[in-house]
Amino acid sequence: MRFFKGFDSSERETKQGKQNFQKRKKEMDKMMREMQAKIDTIQLNITRIDEKLLEQQGLAEKFARYEEKTTQPHEKSRFQKQKETAQIEVEKLQNQKYDLETQFIPFQQSYDRMNQTFSETFARMDALEREASAKQNKVEIEKYTAAEEEKIQFELAEAEALLELRSEK
């Protein structure tokens, strides 16, 4: 009887272990999705800054051409100021892009390492779970087989007893 109590508690522990594993897996999946979303956001911001950079560089070049073409000193200084403002904005955008890229690279590397580690860990855990499930199925089959054998032996014993009774009559 003690064996069965121990078996039941180990069965409960196994079920609880599976539930904990599934819970941890969901938590890790959620965390990985959040990290991927942050990475995607950083990449999107870098792309937007690249677009703004191209726009500001185009403006700086346009104002430089206007400055060269104009002959009036007042317009020349106005175009020069606009060109300088555009160049300052280009430098500011380049600094923002650099900051985002320096933030992005380690974050991406960390994500890749974590993804690799979690993938390997969950693959091992899944394999262990399948192995435990196979062992559980084997135990259940053995229990069923033992019960059927016992039932058959009982029926055989009954049949032998009936045969003996008939042969005695």
Side-chain angles (χ1 to χ4, degrees):
M1 193 68 171
R2 263 195 148 160
F3 167 75
F4 291 112
K5 284 185 179 178
F7 182 74
D8 289 341
S9 68
S10 70
E11 200 172 272
R12 277 192 300 263
E13 290 172 8
T14 301
K15 285 182 181 178
Q16 191 173 16
K18 284 180 183 180
Q19 290 172 346
N20 287 340
F21 169 70
Q22 293 300 326
K23 186 177 177 182
R24 297 276 186 257
K25 189 172 182 180
K26 285 180 183 177
E27 289 172 1
M28 295 312 300
D29 285 341
K30 180 182 176 187
M31 186 179 76
M32 295 304 287
R33 282 192 309 274
E34 289 172 358
M35 284 184 73
Q36 184 62 49
K38 288 179 183 178
I39 288 171
D40 291 344
T41 301
I42 292 172
Q43 286 177 324
L44 181 64
N45 288 338
I46 289 172
T47 302
R48 286 180 181 160
I49 288 175
D50 281 339
E51 291 170 357
K52 288 179 183 177
L53 263 170
L54 290 174
E55 182 181 317
Q56 288 298 319
Q57 287 170 341
L59 282 175
E61 291 171 4
K62 180 174 86 172
F63 291 131
R65 283 193 310 273
Y66 287 169
E67 181 186 3
E68 288 174 11
K69 289 181 181 178
T70 189
T71 55
Q72 295 180 356
H74 173 66
E75 284 185 3
K76 201 171 202 114
S77 68
R78 185 171 59 101
F79 288 137
Q80 184 178 9
K81 280 186 178 185
Q82 288 175 327
K83 177 183 82 170
E84 288 171 0
T85 303
Q87 288 172 336
I88 289 171
E89 185 66 24
V90 165
E91 288 176 20
K92 185 175 126 183
L93 289 169
Q94 285 174 335
N95 288 336
Q96 287 177 354
K97 181 180 175 184
Y98 177 77
D99 290 343
L100 283 174
E101 286 174 339
T102 56
Q103 183 184 27
F104 171 77
I105 293 170
F107 203 70
Q108 179 69 42
Q109 290 171 342
S110 175
Y111 173 81
D112 290 342
R113 275 193 314 273
M114 287 175 66
N115 192 30
Q116 177 72 24
T117 302
F118 293 142
S119 295
E120 291 171 358
T121 301
F122 288 134
R124 280 194 305 265
M125 294 295 284
D126 284 339
L128 289 172
E129 190 175 310
R130 283 191 304 275
E131 182 179 332
S133 178
K135 286 181 181 179
Q136 179 65 29
N137 288 343
K138 181 180 176 188
V139 167
E140 289 174 4
I141 290 171
E142 288 173 354
K143 280 170 121 183
Y144 176 76
T145 304
E148 287 297 312
E149 284 177 6
E150 189 175 310
K151 182 180 170 184
I152 291 171
Q153 286 177 352
F154 180 75
E155 289 174 359
L156 267 173
E158 272 185 344
E160 286 178 4
L162 285 173
L163 281 175
E164 278 184 34
L165 283 174
R166 285 187 182 172
S167 64
E168 288 178 4
K169 288 184 177 181

